[in-house]
Amino acid sequence: MAKMNYTRKGCKDVFNAFMVSDAEYAGKYEFPVLFPTNKIPNKLIAFTDALKAKDYNQWVHFYIDDAGFERIWRQPRKYLPILKRFNGVILPDFSLYRDMPLAMQIWNIYRSRAIGYWLQKEGIEIIINIRYGDERTYRICCDGVPENCVIAIGTHGTLKGTTDRHYLLEGLAKVVEILRPIAIVIYGAAPDKYFKKYIEMGIAIHQFDSDFARSRKKEVD
């Protein structure tokens, strides 16, 4: 990928090229290659809640509506000092709806990885979020991701519907085959009938309830 010419008069970095200015790239669509991690979160907090949090002994996640974190792409430097306060960051979960044009899906994978590469350069621990739509993105979403490391996925809202569940589980099987992760951090439910086989393969499963599930538990208590 060519570097942006910052010296050209009037040239503004509207694509956040500074994030990947010295990156190596992988795959047909040239996603930046990220460094592996073996860290596991102790606790998770949503990005929108992290903006006003006082407890920094946790990891920031982006398993929320895109509108709640699109700002980190538009003004990344503004939020860097906030993210640096926490233990680490699970990379942004930009949406990959199956009815989105493939170009938009690829762009959203790229944006998450570009942010991840930049955060790593800034000394922040990250876990790569793996997000895919349908079979067209199963292979693509693995590009630039190291093998044998910790990855994260979100299952909230994807296990109840037959079609959504099919793509979630089919895609995950392909991702595991390609990346052979040592652990998977799961935001949302992780029923044994779907995930026990990965434990039997030697992959550690670290499940965290969604914010919605935790709020429901508080109502019952």
Side-chain angles (χ1 to χ4, degrees), residues 149-170:
C149 73
V150 178
I151 61 173
I153 65 168
T155 65
H156 179 63
T158 63
L159 288 171
K160 289 186 177 181
T162 302
T163 301
D164 288 339
R165 183 170 63 248
H166 164 77
Y167 284 108
L168 171 72
L169 298 177
E170 182 181 72

Side-chain angles (χ1 to χ4, degrees), residues 177-195:
E177 176 187 333
I178 295 170
L179 297 179
R180 303 190 298 263
I182 60 172
I184 303 174
V185 175
I186 298 175
Y187 176 83
D192 281 348
K193 61 180 177 179
Y194 303 132
F195 292 93

Side-chain angles (χ1 to χ4, degrees), residues 189-208:
D192 281 348
K193 61 180 177 179
Y194 303 132
F195 292 93
K196 185 178 179 180
K197 66 178 182 179
Y198 296 118
I199 297 174
E200 293 172 347
M201 292 168 60
I203 301 171
I205 300 294
H206 298 272
Q207 184 268 336
F208 293 84

